[in-house]
């Protein structure tokens, strides 16, 4: 059965580019989102998120009539669910954060009334192991007239699979086409039909497994990166204590043919790597010791950086006994969660700048070349030139390409990315 109409539920950083990609291959796409503003924006051929080349794709798709956005699901041959999976609120600081599946539940319950025999439902949202089976149960509860793979395997009326997205923000449009896809069907037929669907635009290999392994594969990829970054961050703190340049150390160690250490930084941000490892740790808390400990190392790095800045303030005051702390201006270079983007979600740079504003008695300035519209309560946003002329202590938090082009050689620098030190 071919897929004439495809519905993408959740039109965010993953759902909208995926919808636009199917539409660019001349499939009729119905995008669904609960946010009326996002729906209106898309129907005007515009976008509500920042991602290179996406604006052109969406504009062309809407103009040519292949993509439309709605707030209530309509019948389709395939449904892709790309809604967020955040944490549930934590009651005690010692609790392991647990995933909140309510967005998936709402999406499943919203599409259930329009499902028909022969449809394919794919969960793309990053999910804890077992979430796809749980989604299948929610669908089956709502539609007892249809059969699902958990009870009817290859003969089910509706096919279900988990196919996690793995694209890098800032490179979504190319990575959606070129990356390999992990396809975890609840039956062989579910997987094969999912491969047929993705082959509409995916040039990478579509590799088949089961739903639980596909869920775990995505969590494993991001946990592996988190653990590796934690190793680099831990090294940076050890080297600071031992008076060794961590950047030189890592470049030396990486000359070994089987060593490839990542780069330390102010901490780990974004909505994926700082979140997904908890989905493994909350499921198997007694076994996921390394994964949990890596999260803790990365999560406490911003506090350590603030401590280093406070030490630099003390050193500045020692060297300049005629000054007091109220007169010291600190410039924080970079606010986003990684270089050359404007995304502030879970950003350690923003966390550090805010913490500093609360602690420091003098002025705190922020320099963020990728953001101009946002106003911050805690600190002032200034240009690079302004900051360089009035700042006493320079804190490099994000290695934006604009910052790499300038060599700041002041005595008072806290450089979390190793580009000015
Ligand atoms: N970071 C470091 N040191 C490094 C590399 C990264 O401190 O050497 C920091 C970054 O500054 C940032 C955080 O880690 O704060 C995460 O950045 P990232 O570039 O590693 O990853 P994301 O969150 O932009 O995207 C990740 C990707 N996953 C992997 O590379 C395994 C992407 O492919 C996933 O699709 C995405 O998560 C997701 O949606 O899950």
């Amino acid at each position: 059965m071919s897929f004439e109409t495809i519905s993408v539920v959740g039109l965010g950083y993953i759902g909208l580019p995926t919808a636009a990609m199917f539409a660019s291959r001349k499939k009729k796409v119905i995008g669904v989102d609960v946010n009326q503003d996002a729906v209106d924006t898309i129907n005007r051929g515009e976008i509500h998120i920042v991602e290179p080349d996406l604006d052109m794709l969406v504009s062309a798709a809407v103009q040519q009539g292949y993509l439309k956005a709605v707030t209530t699901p309509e019948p389709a041959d395939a449904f892709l669910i790309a809604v967020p999976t955040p944490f549930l609120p934590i009651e005690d600081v010692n609790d392991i954060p647990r995933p909140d599946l309510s967005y998936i539940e709402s999406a499943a319950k919203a599409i259930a009334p329009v499902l028909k025999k022969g449809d394919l439902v794919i969960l793309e949202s990053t999910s804890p192991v077992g979430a796809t089976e749980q989604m299948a149960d929610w669908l089956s509860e709502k539609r007892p007239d249809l059969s699902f793979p958990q009870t009817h395997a290859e003969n089910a009326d509706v096919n279900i699979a988990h196919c996690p997205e793995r694209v890098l923000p800032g490179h979504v449009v190319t990575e959606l086409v070129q990356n390999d896809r992990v396809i975890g069907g609840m039956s062989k037929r579910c997987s094969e039909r999912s491969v047929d669907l993705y082959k509409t635009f995916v040039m990478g290999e579509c590799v088949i497994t089961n739903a639980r392994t596909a869920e775990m594969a995505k969590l494993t990829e991001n946990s592996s990166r988190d653990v590796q970054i934690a190793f680099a961050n831990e090294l940076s703190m050890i080297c600071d204590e031992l008076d060794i340049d961590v950047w030189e150390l890592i470049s030396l160690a990486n000359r070994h043919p089987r060593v490839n250490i990542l780069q330390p930084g102010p901490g780990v941000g974004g909505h994926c790597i700082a979140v997904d490892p908890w989905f493994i740790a909350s499921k198997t808390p007694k076994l996921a010791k390394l994964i949990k400990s890596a999260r803790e190392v990365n999560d406490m790095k911003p506090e350590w950086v603030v401590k280093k800045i406070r030490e630099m303030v003390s050193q500045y005051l020692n060297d300049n006994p005629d000054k007091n702390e109220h007169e010291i201006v600190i410039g924080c270079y970079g606010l986003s969660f990684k270089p050359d983007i404007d995304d502030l979600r879970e950003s350690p740079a923003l966390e550090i700048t805010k913490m500093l504003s609360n602690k420091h008695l003098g002025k705190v300035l922020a320099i963020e070349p990728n953001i101009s519209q946002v106003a911050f309560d805690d600190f002032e946003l200034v240009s690079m030139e302004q900051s360089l002329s009035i700042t006493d202590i320079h804190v490099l938090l994000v290695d934006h390409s604009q910052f790499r082009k300038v060599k700041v050689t002041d005595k008072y620098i806290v450089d979390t990315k190793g580009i000015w030190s």
Side-chain angles (χ1 to χ4, degrees):
M1 229 174 294
S2 72
F3 303 100
E4 296 304 326
T5 305
I6 298 160
S7 181
V8 179
V9 185
L11 296 172
Y13 281 86
I14 300 303
L16 183 56
T18 305
M21 206 52 87
F22 278 115
S24 74
R25 300 302 191 269
K26 308 214 179 306
K27 293 282 179 190
K28 188 176 165 218
V29 181
I30 303 168
V32 186
D33 203 289
V34 289
N35 178 346
Q36 184 71 54
D37 285 344
V39 165
D40 293 341
T41 307
I42 294 162
N43 285 333
R44 284 197 304 271
E46 296 164 13
I47 58 174
H48 60 295
I49 54 177
V50 176
E51 183 58 45
D53 301 332
L54 182 62
D55 49 350
M56 289 181 315
L57 269 183
V58 170
S59 160
V62 173
Q63 251 175 35
Q64 293 165 14
Y66 288 107
L67 172 64
K68 72 165 182 180
V70 294
T71 50
T72 310
E74 296 178 9
D77 305 317
F79 293 84
L80 286 93
I81 296 183
V83 294
T85 34
F87 297 139
L88 288 167
I90 299 173
E91 275 147 31
D92 184 295
V93 281
N94 296 316
D95 284 353
I96 295 181
R98 286 184 301 118
D100 175 2
L101 298 189
S102 62
Y103 292 83
I104 298 179
E105 184 176 1
S106 302
K109 290 183 173 167
I111 63 166
V114 296
L115 277 186
K116 58 184 186 315
K117 189 174 176 176
D119 283 356
L120 170 67
V121 181
I122 295 181
L123 179 62
E124 279 214 5
S125 312
T126 303
S127 301
V129 172
T132 309
E133 291 155 20
Q134 171 68 76
M135 183 186 76
D137 286 342
W138 282 321
L139 289 172
S140 132
E141 275 163 28
K142 282 265 163 194
R143 291 299 303 270
D145 54 317
L146 291 171
S147 64
F148 290 85
Q150 62 271 40
T151 49
H152 288 69
E154 305 298 334
N155 300 319
D157 291 335
V158 176
N159 293 133
I160 296 180
H162 179 60
C163 306
E165 60 78 17
R166 310 152 95 191
V167 288
L168 196 68
H171 301 261
V172 171
V173 171
T174 40
E175 288 210 354
L176 267 180
V177 176
Q178 279 160 14
N179 287 5
D180 291 347
R181 287 286 318 206
V182 174
I183 310 273
M186 286 182 68
S187 71
K188 191 163 164 265
R189 181 160 161 71
C190 296
S191 299
E192 285 168 356
R193 292 196 69 215
S194 304
V195 173
D196 283 349
L197 177 68
Y198 281 107
K199 276 294 170 196
T200 308
F201 66 81
V202 171
M203 314 244 304
E205 204 178 322
C206 291
V207 190
I208 289 179
T209 180
N210 57 42
R212 292 174 84 85
T213 310
E215 288 160 344
M216 190 63 179
K218 168 67 196 232
L219 302 180
T220 300
E221 290 158 14
N222 281 354
S223 300
S224 154
R225 195 152 168 88
D226 197 44
V227 170
Q228 290 177 55
I229 299 170
F231 181 68
N233 277 332
E234 189 164 288
L235 271 183
S236 73
M237 296 183 278
I238 293 170
C239 285
D240 182 75
E241 182 90 8
L242 301 179
D243 200 16
I244 291 169
D245 179 343
V246 69
W247 313 102
E248 185 193 0
L249 173 86
I250 290 175
S251 78
L252 291 174
N254 281 350
R255 282 171 180 261
H256 185 289
R258 284 172 297 284
V259 173
N260 188 10
I261 303 170
L262 292 182
Q263 299 301 306
V268 167
H271 45 105
C272 310
I273 300 210
V275 174
D276 301 354
W278 289 123
F279 292 6
I280 300 180
S282 64
K283 202 90 181 171
T284 50
K286 292 210 172 82
L287 297 170
K289 293 198 186 88
L290 183 62
I291 292 172
K292 180 168 177 281
S293 152
R295 269 294 61 246
E296 287 162 355
V297 169
N298 287 333
D299 268 356
M300 58 80 78
K301 189 79 193 283
E303 267 174 52
W304 184 86
V305 173
V306 171
K307 195 174 118 236
K308 287 284 126 196
I309 301 167
R310 301 292 298 152
E311 286 171 15
M312 189 61 89
V313 170
S314 303
Q315 190 191 324
Y316 187 94
L317 288 172
N318 265 342
D319 297 347
N320 300 277
D322 53 318
K323 286 221 174 187
N324 66 51
E325 193 181 326
H326 290 272
E327 295 168 279
I328 299 179
V329 180
I330 301 180
C332 294
Y333 296 79
L335 291 176
S336 59
F337 88 82
K338 65 178 199 174
D340 300 329
I341 58 166
D342 68 340
D343 195 336
L344 298 174
R345 286 178 293 174
E346 316 291 330
S347 168
L350 181 61
E351 190 186 341
I352 290 166
T353 311
K354 283 185 173 169
M355 272 198 271
L356 207 54
S357 309
N358 290 333
K359 287 197 162 104
H360 182 55
L361 300 177
K363 209 177 227 181
V364 174
L365 307 174
I367 304 90
E368 179 43 84
N370 301 297
I371 291 175
S372 54
Q373 308 294 341
V374 190
F376 297 92
D377 294 339
D378 319 70
F379 50 83
E380 199 184 327
L381 209 55
V382 299
S383 70
M384 180 93 181
E385 293 69 34
Q386 277 171 297
S387 169
L388 289 176
S389 64
I390 55 171
T391 289
D392 300 303
I393 297 175
H394 304 271
V395 181
L396 191 282
L397 294 173
V398 187
D399 47 341
H400 287 312
S401 35
Q402 288 94 333
F403 300 157
R404 286 185 175 276
K405 288 182 198 141
V406 188
K407 191 80 197 151
V408 180
T409 49
D410 203 282
K411 182 175 171 199
Y412 303 102
I413 294 177
V414 177
D415 181 358
T416 68
K417 292 305 298 181
I419 61 173
W420 289 346
S421 41

